[in-house]
Amino acid sequence: MKLIDGKKVANQIKEEITLEVERVKLDGGKIPHLAAIIVGHDGASETYVGHKEKACIQVGFDSTVLRFEDDIEEDTLLRKVDELNKNPEIDGFIVQLPLPDHISEQKIIEAIDPKKDVDGFHPINLGRMVIGLPAYISATPAGIMELIKRYKIETSGKDVVVIGRSNIVGKPMSILLGQKADPGNATVTMAHSRTKNLKELVSKADMVIAALGQAEFLTADMVKEGATVIDVGITRVKSDQTKSGWKLLGDVKYDEVAEKTEYITPVPGGVGPMTIVSLLQNTLKASKGEIYPKF
Ligand code: NDP
C-alpha cells in the first residue's frame, strides 16, 4: 500500500507558486489577486474562506474578502458580482456557497464572468471542460487529477467507479477521467444513490473515487485487491479522543481498505489540502491569462 500524501503535494505546489509569484514581483508584473464573497456567518463557510485567505497570503497573492449579512438582497449581491467582474485588479473570485435561501445560487454563479470563475462552477467552464477546451476546473476534481499525475498512477484503459454525481465533484471527476488525455482514457462508471449493483461494480474497479458523503461507506469486502482508492468524503463526527471533541471521517473505512489497495488517500491529509491549492493554481492561471487570453 502506498499512501497518497495530499498534504505533502499541496505544500510542494504552494512552494512552486510562491517562487513563481516572487519572479513576477521581481519582473514588476501583476501579483495574482483572488477575491471571495461570503454571505452570512455559517461556521464552515467562515472556516473555508479563512483557509483560502491564509493560503493566498502564504504564496504571496493579494486577497480580498467581501462580507455581507445574510439579509442582503439578490440584486445587491448581483451588483457586487458585477463590480468584481469589472474590477481589473481582481484576477479571479469565488462566491462561497451555500447562500441564503432567498438567493438563487445558480443565478449568482451564472453572473460571474467565466474568465474570473476560478471555482469552475460557471456552465461555460463546465461546458468547455466537457469538450476538452481550456477551462477552470473545479478545485476538488482538479486536485485529484494533480495527485494522480504527480504519483504517476496509470488510468489509461482502467475501470474506474466514481461514487457520486454532484456538479462540483462526481460529475466533473467522471468526465476528466474519461477524457482522451493523460491522465484520463479510463472507462468510467458514475454511480449514485439509485445505482443497483454498486458493490459488484466497485469490486471490479481498478480505481474507486468515493464522493458520496457517507462516513466509512466503502469497506474492504467491496474493494478489489490492488485497487487505487481516492476518498473525497468529509463527515464531522463527535469524538472523545480529540481535544476539539470532533474528528473527520472519509467515505472509506481506511484501516481495513488500505491493506488491499495499491494507492490510497487518507482523511484528513488526502484530497482536502489539494482543493485549496487548486484554487490557487486557477487564480495563477487567471492572472497569466492562460485559460482565456488577456487582450
Ligand atoms: P453531494 O451530497 O452533492 O453528492 C453526493 C452524491 O453521492 C450524490 O450524487 C448522491 O446520489 C450520491 N450518494 C449518496 N449516497 C449514496 C449511496 N449510498 N450510494 C451511492 N451514491 C450515493 O456531495 P458532494 O459531491 O458535494 O460531496 C461529497 C462528499 O465530499 C461530502 O462528504 C463532502 O463533504 C466532500 N467534499 C470534500 C471536499 C474536499 O475538499 N475534500 C470538497 C467537496 C466535497 P444522488 O445524486 O442520487 O442523490
Side-chain angles (χ1 to χ4, degrees):
M1 182 275 283
K2 292 171 210 149
L3 185 85
I4 300 177
D5 190 341
K7 204 170 168 188
K8 190 168 128 195
V9 174
N11 284 334
Q12 225 170 314
I13 295 174
K14 275 192 208 157
E15 277 171 30
E16 292 164 15
I17 297 176
T18 309
L19 286 177
E20 194 158 345
V21 175
E22 278 167 10
R23 270 199 302 272
V24 170
K25 265 187 200 163
L26 283 176
D27 294 345
K30 184 184 175 306
I31 306 298
H33 192 160
L34 174 70
I37 288 182
I38 179 165
V39 178
H41 300 277
D42 176 69
S45 295
E46 292 274 2
T47 308
Y48 293 139
V49 170
H51 285 159
K52 287 164 189 171
E53 210 179 358
K54 195 174 142 205
C56 279
I57 293 164
Q58 259 181 333
V59 298
F61 284 6
D62 288 332
S63 160
T64 298
V65 180
L66 302 176
R67 291 171 193 280
F68 301 103
E69 290 303 322
D70 49 18
D71 59 357
I72 184 171
E73 299 279 342
E74 188 178 81
D75 280 352
T76 315
L77 192 59
L78 285 168
R79 268 202 305 280
K80 297 294 169 193
V81 167
D82 197 45
E83 281 168 26
L84 290 178
N85 284 340
K86 290 179 178 146
N87 184 342
E89 281 304 309
I90 306 292
D91 296 296
F93 67 98
I94 60 156
V95 178
Q96 185 64 45
L97 304 179
L99 293 171
D101 290 344
H102 67 279
I103 298 176
S104 157
E105 289 185 354
Q106 198 52 35
K107 215 168 174 182
I108 300 295
I109 287 171
E110 289 189 33
I112 298 172
D113 181 345
K115 297 185 181 77
K116 293 193 176 188
D117 167 41
V118 284
D119 252 342
F121 293 169
H122 193 288
I124 295 236
N125 279 312
L126 281 165
R128 287 175 66 98
M129 178 200 68
V130 171
I131 58 174
L133 287 175
Y136 294 115
I137 293 169
S138 58
T140 305
I144 295 171
M145 292 303 278
E146 189 76 41
L147 286 176
I148 290 172
K149 224 182 276 174
R150 294 205 179 213
Y151 277 84
K152 298 186 171 60
I153 298 168
E154 185 59 82
T155 56
S156 180
K158 302 289 181 184
D159 291 323
V160 177
V161 173
V162 177
I163 316 175
R165 59 176 166 185
S166 70
N167 289 339
I168 61 164
V169 189
K171 224 176 270 174
M173 201 61 240
S174 305
I175 291 161
L176 289 168
L177 285 169
Q179 292 285 43
K180 198 166 187 172
D182 182 23
N185 285 320
T187 308
V188 183
T189 304
M190 187 172 67
H192 45 78
S193 66
R194 306 286 180 93
T195 300
K196 282 205 175 109
N197 50 346
L198 183 64
K199 206 167 172 178
E200 193 193 329
L201 289 169
V202 169
S203 69
K204 291 182 187 149
D206 303 303
M207 179 183 280
V208 185
I209 316 270
L212 65 155
Q214 290 197 20
E216 301 190 322
F217 174 87
L218 200 76
T219 48
D221 58 315
M222 295 170 82
V223 177
K224 183 167 100 171
E225 196 76 47
T228 289
V229 172
I230 310 281
D231 191 353
V232 186
I234 301 175
T235 306
R236 212 163 72 115
V237 294
K238 281 196 170 143
S239 166
D240 50 20
Q241 284 152 3
T242 61
K243 246 203 307 196
S244 64
W246 295 95
K247 69 173 176 179
L248 298 181
L249 288 180
D251 285 347
V252 177
K253 202 156 194 182
Y254 182 86
D255 290 341
E256 57 173 65
V257 172
E259 290 170 20
K260 285 185 85 176
T261 59
E262 184 178 5
Y263 289 98
I264 188 165
T265 60
V267 172
V271 172
M274 292 300 292
T275 297
I276 287 183
V277 154
S278 301
L279 184 66
L280 297 177
Q281 285 179 310
N282 278 349
T283 307
L284 189 61
K285 284 179 189 162
S287 79
K288 293 201 290 190
E290 262 181 26
I291 306 288
Y292 298 95
K294 289 187 171 175
F295 297 106

